[in-house]
Amino acid sequence: MEEKRCTLSNPCSFAGISPIMVDLPYPAIQVKERNRAYANMLSVDYCGAVSEMSAIMQYINNENRLSCDKCPMAKTILGIAMAEMIHLQKLGELIFLLGGQVDFVAKQQNGRQRMWTPEYLAIPEHAGKMILADIEAEKAAISQYRMHINMIKDPCVNAVLARIIKDEEYHIMILQVLLQEVQSGTNCM
């Protein structure tokens, strides 16, 4: 039997990558009381079109496509994706405590339900357009979280959402630096 050699590999090592997030603790994951309407609202943040699930998938896709040519940028994108995974986990806990179902179905206020789909993702080819899409997704998430904070009358839930917003704002700042690097032709960070 002839031995085949692997000749191509990704030179980018992702060892030691950590979540990129604000250096502040998260509030305790707790709720005042069960509230299915709040759980349903958070299900949209969990797995709707503008959601942590969408952010994670978009970032991981971008990181994979950038890793061979733009390793430092790919590492930063992976760190952001890891922070989004933490957000997803915290939202899942809140949904459960509020009496909702933790699944991949966003439950809209109008009673409609929609399972998460990759159709929600923006997958442009050029690195600059990828980052612009990521910035727009972060802005949309912040706007949606603020809207939900205004609708939810549970200070425990709102404290977690407010903390998540701090990470999303931080991600925008980092993505803007990456965008400047792409536009100037540098690849450091």
Side-chain angles (χ1 to χ4, degrees), residues 118-152:
E119 292 171 5
Y120 294 150
L121 307 181
I123 315 229
E125 288 300 316
H126 181 266
K129 289 183 180 179
M130 284 181 207
I131 294 168
L132 281 171
D134 292 340
I135 290 169
E136 290 308 310
E138 293 284 3
K139 288 178 179 178
I142 291 167
S143 176
Q144 183 169 285
Y145 280 128
R146 286 186 176 141
M147 179 181 69
H148 288 168
I149 286 171
N150 288 331
M151 298 168 73
I152 293 172

Short mmCIF file of all heavy atoms in Angstrom, two decimals, residues 118-152:
data_model
loop_
_atom_site.label_atom_id
_atom_site.label_comp_id
_atom_site.label_asym_id
_atom_site.label_seq_id
_atom_site.Cartn_x
_atom_site.Cartn_y
_atom_site.Cartn_z
N PRO A 118 -28.53 29.25 7.85
CA PRO A 118 -27.36 29.99 7.35
C PRO A 118 -27.73 31.08 6.34
O PRO A 118 -26.89 31.90 6.00
CB PRO A 118 -26.47 28.92 6.73
CG PRO A 118 -27.28 27.69 6.65
CD PRO A 118 -28.45 27.83 7.56
N GLU A 119 -28.97 31.09 5.91
CA GLU A 119 -29.42 32.17 5.03
C GLU A 119 -29.30 33.53 5.71
O GLU A 119 -29.28 34.56 5.04
CB GLU A 119 -30.87 31.95 4.60
CG GLU A 119 -31.06 30.75 3.70
CD GLU A 119 -32.52 30.44 3.46
OE1 GLU A 119 -33.40 31.19 3.92
OE2 GLU A 119 -32.79 29.42 2.79
N TYR A 120 -29.21 33.54 7.03
CA TYR A 120 -29.07 34.79 7.78
C TYR A 120 -27.70 35.44 7.61
O TYR A 120 -27.51 36.60 7.95
CB TYR A 120 -29.30 34.56 9.28
CG TYR A 120 -30.69 34.15 9.68
CD1 TYR A 120 -30.87 33.35 10.80
CD2 TYR A 120 -31.81 34.56 8.99
CE1 TYR A 120 -32.13 32.98 11.22
CE2 TYR A 120 -33.08 34.18 9.40
CZ TYR A 120 -33.23 33.40 10.52
OH TYR A 120 -34.50 33.03 10.93
N LEU A 121 -26.72 34.69 7.13
CA LEU A 121 -25.34 35.15 7.12
C LEU A 121 -25.00 35.99 5.90
O LEU A 121 -25.50 35.74 4.81
CB LEU A 121 -24.40 33.95 7.18
CG LEU A 121 -24.61 32.96 8.31
CD1 LEU A 121 -23.58 31.85 8.25
CD2 LEU A 121 -24.59 33.64 9.66
N ALA A 122 -24.09 36.94 6.11
CA ALA A 122 -23.50 37.70 5.02
C ALA A 122 -22.12 37.09 4.78
O ALA A 122 -21.31 37.03 5.71
CB ALA A 122 -23.38 39.17 5.39
N ILE A 123 -21.86 36.61 3.57
CA ILE A 123 -20.61 35.91 3.29
C ILE A 123 -19.92 36.52 2.07
O ILE A 123 -19.79 35.87 1.04
CB ILE A 123 -20.86 34.40 3.08
CG1 ILE A 123 -21.78 33.88 4.12
CG2 ILE A 123 -19.54 33.65 2.94
CD1 ILE A 123 -21.44 32.66 4.84
N PRO A 124 -19.47 37.76 2.18
CA PRO A 124 -18.75 38.36 1.05
C PRO A 124 -17.36 37.75 0.89
O PRO A 124 -16.83 37.15 1.84
CB PRO A 124 -18.67 39.84 1.42
CG PRO A 124 -18.86 39.91 2.89
CD PRO A 124 -19.63 38.68 3.30
N GLU A 125 -16.78 37.90 -0.27
CA GLU A 125 -15.47 37.30 -0.56
C GLU A 125 -14.31 38.14 -0.05
O GLU A 125 -13.35 37.60 0.46
CB GLU A 125 -15.32 37.06 -2.06
CG GLU A 125 -16.18 35.93 -2.57
CD GLU A 125 -15.86 34.59 -1.90
OE1 GLU A 125 -14.67 34.26 -1.74
OE2 GLU A 125 -16.80 33.89 -1.53
N HIS A 126 -14.35 39.42 -0.21
CA HIS A 126 -13.24 40.30 0.12
C HIS A 126 -13.18 40.55 1.63
O HIS A 126 -14.21 40.75 2.28
CB HIS A 126 -13.39 41.62 -0.63
CG HIS A 126 -12.28 42.58 -0.39
ND1 HIS A 126 -12.36 43.55 0.58
CD2 HIS A 126 -11.08 42.71 -0.98
CE1 HIS A 126 -11.24 44.25 0.58
NE2 HIS A 126 -10.45 43.77 -0.36
N ALA A 127 -11.98 40.54 2.21
CA ALA A 127 -11.80 40.72 3.66
C ALA A 127 -12.43 42.01 4.16
O ALA A 127 -13.07 42.02 5.21
CB ALA A 127 -10.31 40.69 4.01
N GLY A 128 -12.27 43.10 3.43
CA GLY A 128 -12.86 44.37 3.85
C GLY A 128 -14.38 44.30 3.93
O GLY A 128 -14.98 44.81 4.88
N LYS A 129 -14.99 43.65 2.96
CA LYS A 129 -16.45 43.51 2.96
C LYS A 129 -16.91 42.57 4.07
O LYS A 129 -17.97 42.75 4.65
CB LYS A 129 -16.95 43.06 1.59
CG LYS A 129 -16.82 44.16 0.55
CD LYS A 129 -17.37 43.76 -0.78
CE LYS A 129 -17.20 44.92 -1.75
NZ LYS A 129 -17.69 44.61 -3.08
N MET A 130 -16.09 41.55 4.38
CA MET A 130 -16.40 40.66 5.50
C MET A 130 -16.47 41.47 6.79
O MET A 130 -17.42 41.33 7.58
CB MET A 130 -15.32 39.59 5.68
CG MET A 130 -15.31 38.47 4.71
SD MET A 130 -13.94 37.36 5.17
CE MET A 130 -13.58 36.64 3.59
N ILE A 131 -15.46 42.29 7.00
CA ILE A 131 -15.39 43.06 8.24
C ILE A 131 -16.52 44.08 8.30
O ILE A 131 -17.12 44.28 9.36
CB ILE A 131 -14.01 43.70 8.39
CG1 ILE A 131 -12.96 42.59 8.57
CG2 ILE A 131 -13.97 44.66 9.57
CD1 ILE A 131 -11.54 43.04 8.44
N LEU A 132 -16.82 44.72 7.17
CA LEU A 132 -17.96 45.66 7.15
C LEU A 132 -19.26 44.95 7.52
O LEU A 132 -20.07 45.48 8.28
CB LEU A 132 -18.08 46.32 5.77
CG LEU A 132 -17.12 47.46 5.49
CD1 LEU A 132 -17.20 47.87 4.01
CD2 LEU A 132 -17.40 48.65 6.40
N ALA A 133 -19.45 43.74 6.99
CA ALA A 133 -20.65 42.96 7.33
C ALA A 133 -20.67 42.62 8.81
O ALA A 133 -21.73 42.66 9.46
CB ALA A 133 -20.72 41.69 6.47
N ASP A 134 -19.50 42.31 9.37
CA ASP A 134 -19.42 42.00 10.80
C ASP A 134 -19.74 43.24 11.65
O ASP A 134 -20.45 43.13 12.66
CB ASP A 134 -18.02 41.48 11.16
CG ASP A 134 -17.72 40.11 10.55
OD1 ASP A 134 -18.68 39.40 10.18
OD2 ASP A 134 -16.53 39.76 10.45
N ILE A 135 -19.25 44.39 11.23
CA ILE A 135 -19.54 45.63 11.96
C ILE A 135 -21.05 45.91 11.94
O ILE A 135 -21.65 46.23 12.96
CB ILE A 135 -18.75 46.82 11.38
CG1 ILE A 135 -17.25 46.67 11.70
CG2 ILE A 135 -19.29 48.16 11.89
CD1 ILE A 135 -16.34 47.64 10.96
N GLU A 136 -21.66 45.76 10.77
CA GLU A 136 -23.10 46.00 10.66
C GLU A 136 -23.89 45.01 11.51
O GLU A 136 -24.89 45.38 12.13
CB GLU A 136 -23.55 45.96 9.19
CG GLU A 136 -23.07 47.13 8.37
CD GLU A 136 -23.39 48.49 9.00
OE1 GLU A 136 -24.55 48.72 9.38
OE2 GLU A 136 -22.47 49.32 9.14
N ALA A 137 -23.45 43.76 11.55
CA ALA A 137 -24.13 42.75 12.38
C ALA A 137 -24.01 43.10 13.86
O ALA A 137 -24.98 42.95 14.62
CB ALA A 137 -23.54 41.37 12.10
N GLU A 138 -22.85 43.58 14.29
CA GLU A 138 -22.67 43.99 15.69
C GLU A 138 -23.58 45.17 16.02
O GLU A 138 -24.21 45.20 17.09
CB GLU A 138 -21.21 44.35 15.98
CG GLU A 138 -20.24 43.19 15.91
CD GLU A 138 -20.29 42.27 17.12
OE1 GLU A 138 -21.13 42.45 18.02
OE2 GLU A 138 -19.47 41.34 17.15
N LYS A 139 -23.66 46.14 15.13
CA LYS A 139 -24.53 47.30 15.35
C LYS A 139 -26.00 46.88 15.44
O LYS A 139 -26.74 47.37 16.29
CB LYS A 139 -24.35 48.33 14.23
CG LYS A 139 -23.04 49.07 14.30
CD LYS A 139 -22.91 50.05 13.13
CE LYS A 139 -21.60 50.81 13.19
NZ LYS A 139 -21.46 51.73 12.03
N ALA A 140 -26.40 45.97 14.57
CA ALA A 140 -27.78 45.47 14.61
C ALA A 140 -28.06 44.73 15.91
O ALA A 140 -29.14 44.86 16.49
CB ALA A 140 -28.05 44.57 13.40
N ALA A 141 -27.09 43.96 16.39
CA ALA A 141 -27.25 43.23 17.65
C ALA A 141 -27.41 44.20 18.81
O ALA A 141 -28.29 44.02 19.67
CB ALA A 141 -26.06 42.30 17.89
N ILE A 142 -26.59 45.23 18.84
CA ILE A 142 -26.68 46.23 19.91
C ILE A 142 -28.05 46.89 19.89
O ILE A 142 -28.70 47.04 20.94
CB ILE A 142 -25.55 47.29 19.78
CG1 ILE A 142 -24.20 46.65 20.10
CG2 ILE A 142 -25.83 48.50 20.67
CD1 ILE A 142 -23.00 47.50 19.71
N SER A 143 -28.51 47.26 18.73
CA SER A 143 -29.83 47.89 18.60
C SER A 143 -30.94 46.95 19.10
O SER A 143 -31.84 47.37 19.83
CB SER A 143 -30.06 48.27 17.14
OG SER A 143 -31.35 48.80 16.95
N GLN A 144 -30.85 45.68 18.73
CA GLN A 144 -31.85 44.71 19.16
C GLN A 144 -31.80 44.48 20.67
O GLN A 144 -32.84 44.42 21.34
CB GLN A 144 -31.63 43.40 18.40
CG GLN A 144 -32.67 42.33 18.70
CD GLN A 144 -32.54 41.18 17.74
OE1 GLN A 144 -32.93 41.31 16.58
NE2 GLN A 144 -31.97 40.08 18.20
N TYR A 145 -30.60 44.38 21.23
CA TYR A 145 -30.47 44.22 22.68
C TYR A 145 -31.06 45.43 23.41
O TYR A 145 -31.76 45.27 24.41
CB TYR A 145 -29.01 44.03 23.10
CG TYR A 145 -28.50 42.63 22.92
CD1 TYR A 145 -27.33 42.39 22.22
CD2 TYR A 145 -29.17 41.53 23.45
CE1 TYR A 145 -26.84 41.10 22.05
CE2 TYR A 145 -28.70 40.24 23.29
CZ TYR A 145 -27.53 40.03 22.59
OH TYR A 145 -27.06 38.75 22.44
N ARG A 146 -30.80 46.62 22.92
CA ARG A 146 -31.35 47.83 23.56
C ARG A 146 -32.87 47.83 23.50
O ARG A 146 -33.53 48.21 24.47
CB ARG A 146 -30.77 49.08 22.92
CG ARG A 146 -29.33 49.31 23.34
CD ARG A 146 -28.78 50.62 22.83
NE ARG A 146 -27.43 50.81 23.36
CZ ARG A 146 -26.42 51.32 22.67
NH1 ARG A 146 -26.61 51.73 21.43
NH2 ARG A 146 -25.24 51.44 23.23
N MET A 147 -33.41 47.42 22.37
CA MET A 147 -34.87 47.33 22.24
C MET A 147 -35.42 46.33 23.25
O MET A 147 -36.42 46.60 23.93
CB MET A 147 -35.25 46.92 20.81
CG MET A 147 -36.75 46.79 20.58
SD MET A 147 -37.14 46.27 18.90
CE MET A 147 -36.53 44.58 18.91
N HIS A 148 -34.76 45.20 23.40
CA HIS A 148 -35.23 44.18 24.35
C HIS A 148 -35.09 44.66 25.79
O HIS A 148 -35.97 44.39 26.62
CB HIS A 148 -34.50 42.86 24.11
CG HIS A 148 -34.94 42.18 22.85
ND1 HIS A 148 -34.28 41.12 22.30
CD2 HIS A 148 -35.98 42.43 22.03
CE1 HIS A 148 -34.90 40.73 21.20
NE2 HIS A 148 -35.92 41.53 21.01
N ILE A 149 -34.02 45.38 26.10
CA ILE A 149 -33.88 45.94 27.45
C ILE A 149 -35.05 46.87 27.76
O ILE A 149 -35.58 46.85 28.87
CB ILE A 149 -32.52 46.67 27.60
CG1 ILE A 149 -31.39 45.64 27.71
CG2 ILE A 149 -32.53 47.59 28.82
CD1 ILE A 149 -29.98 46.24 27.64
N ASN A 150 -35.48 47.64 26.78
CA ASN A 150 -36.62 48.55 26.98
C ASN A 150 -37.94 47.81 27.17
O ASN A 150 -38.87 48.32 27.79
CB ASN A 150 -36.75 49.53 25.82
CG ASN A 150 -35.66 50.58 25.83
OD1 ASN A 150 -35.14 50.94 26.88
ND2 ASN A 150 -35.28 51.06 24.66
N MET A 151 -38.03 46.60 26.65
CA MET A 151 -39.27 45.82 26.74
C MET A 151 -39.30 44.88 27.95
O MET A 151 -40.37 44.53 28.43
CB MET A 151 -39.45 45.01 25.46
CG MET A 151 -39.59 45.87 24.21
SD MET A 151 -39.44 44.94 22.68
CE MET A 151 -40.99 44.08 22.65
N ILE A 152 -38.13 44.47 28.42
CA ILE A 152 -38.04 43.51 29.53
C ILE A 152 -37.98 44.27 30.84
O ILE A 152 -37.17 45.17 31.02
CB ILE A 152 -36.80 42.60 29.35
CG1 ILE A 152 -36.99 41.70 28.12
CG2 ILE A 152 -36.54 41.77 30.59
CD1 ILE A 152 -35.77 40.89 27.73
#
